[in-house]
mmCIF file of all heavy atoms in Angstrom:
data_model
loop_
_atom_site.group_PDB
_atom_site.id
_atom_site.type_symbol
_atom_site.label_atom_id
_atom_site.label_comp_id
_atom_site.label_asym_id
_atom_site.label_seq_id
_atom_site.Cartn_x
_atom_site.Cartn_y
_atom_site.Cartn_z
ATOM 1 N N LYS K 114 -9.973 -6.337 -3.929
ATOM 2 C CA LYS K 114 -10.594 -7.101 -5.005
ATOM 3 C C LYS K 114 -11.128 -6.160 -6.087
ATOM 4 O O LYS K 114 -10.990 -6.413 -7.281
ATOM 5 C CB LYS K 114 -11.727 -7.951 -4.419
ATOM 6 C CG LYS K 114 -12.323 -8.948 -5.356
ATOM 7 C CD LYS K 114 -13.359 -9.783 -4.604
ATOM 8 C CE LYS K 114 -13.870 -10.909 -5.420
ATOM 9 N NZ LYS K 114 -14.822 -11.738 -4.672
ATOM 10 N N SER K 115 -11.709 -5.055 -5.678
ATOM 11 C CA SER K 115 -12.226 -4.068 -6.622
ATOM 12 C C SER K 115 -11.096 -3.414 -7.416
ATOM 13 O O SER K 115 -11.227 -3.183 -8.622
ATOM 14 C CB SER K 115 -13.025 -3.010 -5.867
ATOM 15 O OG SER K 115 -13.429 -1.993 -6.746
ATOM 16 N N VAL K 116 -9.975 -3.104 -6.742
ATOM 17 C CA VAL K 116 -8.821 -2.509 -7.435
ATOM 18 C C VAL K 116 -8.275 -3.481 -8.472
ATOM 19 O O VAL K 116 -7.990 -3.102 -9.609
ATOM 20 C CB VAL K 116 -7.707 -2.122 -6.428
ATOM 21 C CG1 VAL K 116 -6.432 -1.742 -7.147
ATOM 22 C CG2 VAL K 116 -8.170 -1.001 -5.541
ATOM 23 N N ILE K 117 -8.153 -4.737 -8.097
ATOM 24 C CA ILE K 117 -7.656 -5.753 -9.031
ATOM 25 C C ILE K 117 -8.590 -5.870 -10.227
ATOM 26 O O ILE K 117 -8.147 -5.923 -11.375
ATOM 27 C CB ILE K 117 -7.494 -7.114 -8.310
ATOM 28 C CG1 ILE K 117 -6.374 -7.017 -7.282
ATOM 29 C CG2 ILE K 117 -7.240 -8.233 -9.305
ATOM 30 C CD1 ILE K 117 -6.315 -8.190 -6.326
ATOM 31 N N ARG K 118 -9.894 -5.879 -9.966
ATOM 32 C CA ARG K 118 -10.871 -5.970 -11.051
ATOM 33 C C ARG K 118 -10.752 -4.761 -11.985
ATOM 34 O O ARG K 118 -10.736 -4.904 -13.208
ATOM 35 C CB ARG K 118 -12.283 -6.052 -10.482
ATOM 36 C CG ARG K 118 -13.371 -6.221 -11.529
ATOM 37 C CD ARG K 118 -14.780 -6.280 -10.951
ATOM 38 N NE ARG K 118 -14.920 -7.287 -9.925
ATOM 39 C CZ ARG K 118 -15.144 -7.028 -8.632
ATOM 40 N NH1 ARG K 118 -15.240 -5.785 -8.202
ATOM 41 N NH2 ARG K 118 -15.267 -8.006 -7.768
ATOM 42 N N THR K 119 -10.640 -3.569 -11.418
ATOM 43 C CA THR K 119 -10.524 -2.348 -12.219
ATOM 44 C C THR K 119 -9.280 -2.375 -13.092
ATOM 45 O O THR K 119 -9.337 -2.065 -14.283
ATOM 46 C CB THR K 119 -10.506 -1.109 -11.303
ATOM 47 O OG1 THR K 119 -11.723 -1.086 -10.551
ATOM 48 C CG2 THR K 119 -10.368 0.159 -12.095
ATOM 49 N N ILE K 120 -8.155 -2.750 -12.514
ATOM 50 C CA ILE K 120 -6.904 -2.797 -13.275
ATOM 51 C C ILE K 120 -6.963 -3.857 -14.361
ATOM 52 O O ILE K 120 -6.598 -3.606 -15.515
ATOM 53 C CB ILE K 120 -5.707 -3.029 -12.333
ATOM 54 C CG1 ILE K 120 -5.474 -1.801 -11.449
ATOM 55 C CG2 ILE K 120 -4.443 -3.347 -13.127
ATOM 56 C CD1 ILE K 120 -4.436 -1.991 -10.356
ATOM 57 N N CYS K 121 -7.443 -5.045 -14.016
ATOM 58 C CA CYS K 121 -7.452 -6.147 -14.986
ATOM 59 C C CYS K 121 -8.459 -5.947 -16.111
ATOM 60 O O CYS K 121 -8.277 -6.489 -17.199
ATOM 61 C CB CYS K 121 -7.706 -7.472 -14.281
ATOM 62 S SG CYS K 121 -6.325 -7.982 -13.238
ATOM 63 N N LYS K 122 -9.502 -5.169 -15.861
ATOM 64 C CA LYS K 122 -10.476 -4.901 -16.918
ATOM 65 C C LYS K 122 -10.088 -3.700 -17.764
ATOM 66 O O LYS K 122 -10.758 -3.391 -18.746
ATOM 67 C CB LYS K 122 -11.857 -4.676 -16.300
ATOM 68 C CG LYS K 122 -12.471 -5.959 -15.738
ATOM 69 C CD LYS K 122 -13.765 -5.703 -15.025
ATOM 70 C CE LYS K 122 -14.875 -5.408 -16.004
ATOM 71 N NZ LYS K 122 -16.171 -5.227 -15.342
ATOM 72 N N SER K 123 -8.993 -3.028 -17.408
ATOM 73 C CA SER K 123 -8.595 -1.827 -18.138
ATOM 74 C C SER K 123 -7.993 -2.176 -19.496
ATOM 75 O O SER K 123 -7.429 -3.249 -19.696
ATOM 76 C CB SER K 123 -7.587 -1.020 -17.322
ATOM 77 O OG SER K 123 -6.334 -1.675 -17.291
ATOM 78 N N ARG K 124 -8.089 -1.256 -20.405
ATOM 79 C CA ARG K 124 -7.487 -1.438 -21.725
ATOM 80 C C ARG K 124 -5.973 -1.547 -21.603
ATOM 81 O O ARG K 124 -5.334 -2.320 -22.309
ATOM 82 C CB ARG K 124 -7.865 -0.269 -22.635
ATOM 83 C CG ARG K 124 -7.280 -0.417 -24.024
ATOM 84 C CD ARG K 124 -7.652 0.772 -24.910
ATOM 85 N NE ARG K 124 -7.079 0.634 -26.226
ATOM 86 C CZ ARG K 124 -5.808 0.913 -26.532
ATOM 87 N NH1 ARG K 124 -4.991 1.324 -25.604
ATOM 88 N NH2 ARG K 124 -5.363 0.768 -27.757
ATOM 89 N N THR K 125 -5.405 -0.794 -20.691
ATOM 90 C CA THR K 125 -3.957 -0.812 -20.494
ATOM 91 C C THR K 125 -3.474 -2.209 -20.124
ATOM 92 O O THR K 125 -2.479 -2.686 -20.660
ATOM 93 C CB THR K 125 -3.558 0.183 -19.389
ATOM 94 O OG1 THR K 125 -4.079 1.455 -19.729
ATOM 95 C CG2 THR K 125 -2.069 0.256 -19.222
ATOM 96 N N TYR K 126 -4.175 -2.884 -19.217
ATOM 97 C CA TYR K 126 -3.771 -4.224 -18.802
ATOM 98 C C TYR K 126 -3.899 -5.221 -19.955
ATOM 99 O O TYR K 126 -3.148 -6.180 -20.040
ATOM 100 C CB TYR K 126 -4.616 -4.687 -17.613
ATOM 101 C CG TYR K 126 -4.199 -6.033 -17.095
ATOM 102 C CD1 TYR K 126 -3.040 -6.175 -16.346
ATOM 103 C CD2 TYR K 126 -4.953 -7.168 -17.371
ATOM 104 C CE1 TYR K 126 -2.644 -7.414 -15.869
ATOM 105 C CE2 TYR K 126 -4.565 -8.408 -16.894
ATOM 106 C CZ TYR K 126 -3.415 -8.522 -16.153
ATOM 107 O OH TYR K 126 -3.019 -9.751 -15.688
ATOM 108 N N GLN K 127 -4.836 -4.971 -20.853
ATOM 109 C CA GLN K 127 -5.091 -5.905 -21.939
ATOM 110 C C GLN K 127 -4.192 -5.686 -23.148
ATOM 111 O O GLN K 127 -4.262 -6.436 -24.122
ATOM 112 C CB GLN K 127 -6.566 -5.829 -22.333
ATOM 113 C CG GLN K 127 -7.458 -6.283 -21.188
ATOM 114 C CD GLN K 127 -8.926 -6.058 -21.452
ATOM 115 O OE1 GLN K 127 -9.340 -5.876 -22.579
ATOM 116 N NE2 GLN K 127 -9.707 -6.079 -20.390
ATOM 117 N N LEU K 128 -3.310 -4.676 -23.091
ATOM 118 C CA LEU K 128 -2.376 -4.444 -24.191
ATOM 119 C C LEU K 128 -1.334 -5.559 -24.259
ATOM 120 O O LEU K 128 -1.000 -6.189 -23.264
ATOM 121 C CB LEU K 128 -1.656 -3.104 -24.008
ATOM 122 C CG LEU K 128 -2.501 -1.851 -24.172
ATOM 123 C CD1 LEU K 128 -1.683 -0.628 -23.780
ATOM 124 C CD2 LEU K 128 -2.993 -1.713 -25.598
ATOM 125 N N SER K 129 -0.775 -5.749 -25.429
ATOM 126 C CA SER K 129 0.260 -6.756 -25.625
ATOM 127 C C SER K 129 1.568 -6.312 -24.973
ATOM 128 O O SER K 129 1.875 -5.118 -24.899
ATOM 129 C CB SER K 129 0.492 -6.966 -27.120
ATOM 130 O OG SER K 129 1.607 -7.802 -27.327
ATOM 131 N N ALA K 130 2.341 -7.265 -24.537
ATOM 132 C CA ALA K 130 3.663 -6.968 -23.987
ATOM 133 C C ALA K 130 4.704 -6.813 -25.084
ATOM 134 O O ALA K 130 5.790 -6.307 -24.848
ATOM 135 C CB ALA K 130 4.096 -8.073 -23.031
ATOM 136 N N LEU K 131 4.360 -7.241 -26.283
ATOM 137 C CA LEU K 131 5.307 -7.143 -27.391
ATOM 138 C C LEU K 131 5.362 -5.712 -27.902
ATOM 139 O O LEU K 131 4.336 -5.109 -28.207
ATOM 140 C CB LEU K 131 4.885 -8.088 -28.522
ATOM 141 C CG LEU K 131 4.807 -9.571 -28.149
ATOM 142 C CD1 LEU K 131 4.249 -10.374 -29.304
ATOM 143 C CD2 LEU K 131 6.166 -10.076 -27.720
ATOM 144 N N PRO K 132 6.562 -5.154 -28.008
ATOM 145 C CA PRO K 132 6.665 -3.770 -28.483
ATOM 146 C C PRO K 132 6.362 -3.663 -29.974
ATOM 147 O O PRO K 132 6.561 -4.613 -30.732
ATOM 148 C CB PRO K 132 8.123 -3.408 -28.195
ATOM 149 C CG PRO K 132 8.843 -4.692 -28.126
ATOM 150 C CD PRO K 132 7.857 -5.724 -27.663
ATOM 151 N N ASN K 133 5.869 -2.499 -30.371
ATOM 152 C CA ASN K 133 5.684 -2.217 -31.790
ATOM 153 C C ASN K 133 6.472 -0.961 -32.133
ATOM 154 O O ASN K 133 7.193 -0.421 -31.290
ATOM 155 C CB ASN K 133 4.183 -2.085 -32.136
ATOM 156 C CG ASN K 133 3.508 -0.959 -31.382
ATOM 157 O OD1 ASN K 133 4.100 0.072 -31.108
ATOM 158 N ND2 ASN K 133 2.242 -1.174 -31.041
ATOM 159 N N ASP K 134 6.344 -0.477 -33.338
ATOM 160 C CA ASP K 134 7.130 0.687 -33.765
ATOM 161 C C ASP K 134 6.825 1.940 -32.949
ATOM 162 O O ASP K 134 7.674 2.812 -32.799
ATOM 163 C CB ASP K 134 6.879 0.988 -35.253
ATOM 164 C CG ASP K 134 7.426 -0.105 -36.151
ATOM 165 O OD1 ASP K 134 8.326 -0.843 -35.696
ATOM 166 O OD2 ASP K 134 6.955 -0.230 -37.299
ATOM 167 N N PHE K 135 5.608 2.042 -32.415
ATOM 168 C CA PHE K 135 5.200 3.253 -31.714
ATOM 169 C C PHE K 135 5.559 3.250 -30.230
ATOM 170 O O PHE K 135 5.713 4.296 -29.630
ATOM 171 C CB PHE K 135 3.694 3.475 -31.871
ATOM 172 C CG PHE K 135 3.280 3.607 -33.303
ATOM 173 C CD1 PHE K 135 2.647 2.565 -33.959
ATOM 174 C CD2 PHE K 135 3.559 4.772 -34.008
ATOM 175 C CE1 PHE K 135 2.274 2.684 -35.282
ATOM 176 C CE2 PHE K 135 3.195 4.895 -35.334
ATOM 177 C CZ PHE K 135 2.552 3.849 -35.982
ATOM 178 N N ASN K 136 5.670 2.082 -29.611
ATOM 179 C CA ASN K 136 5.926 2.057 -28.172
ATOM 180 C C ASN K 136 7.222 1.331 -27.795
ATOM 181 O O ASN K 136 7.430 0.993 -26.642
ATOM 182 C CB ASN K 136 4.738 1.444 -27.425
ATOM 183 C CG ASN K 136 4.504 -0.006 -27.769
ATOM 184 O OD1 ASN K 136 5.350 -0.673 -28.363
ATOM 185 N ND2 ASN K 136 3.345 -0.503 -27.404
ATOM 186 N N ARG K 137 8.070 1.107 -28.741
ATOM 187 C CA ARG K 137 9.302 0.371 -28.498
ATOM 188 C C ARG K 137 10.163 1.012 -27.395
ATOM 189 O O ARG K 137 10.713 0.336 -26.559
ATOM 190 C CB ARG K 137 10.108 0.250 -29.794
ATOM 191 C CG ARG K 137 11.371 -0.592 -29.662
ATOM 192 C CD ARG K 137 12.002 -0.906 -31.000
ATOM 193 N NE ARG K 137 11.070 -1.354 -32.025
ATOM 194 C CZ ARG K 137 10.555 -2.598 -32.104
ATOM 195 N NH1 ARG K 137 10.883 -3.482 -31.211
ATOM 196 N NH2 ARG K 137 9.729 -2.908 -33.078
#
Side-chain angles (χ1 to χ4, degrees):
K114 189 176 187 178
S115 175
V116 170
I117 293 168
R118 183 181 306 113
T119 300
I120 291 172
C121 291
K122 289 175 74 177
S123 72
R124 181 181 179 280
T125 305
Y126 183 75
Q127 296 172 18
L128 291 173
S129 172
L131 300 174
N133 61 34
D134 293 338
F135 301 104
N136 64 14
R137 184 169 314 282

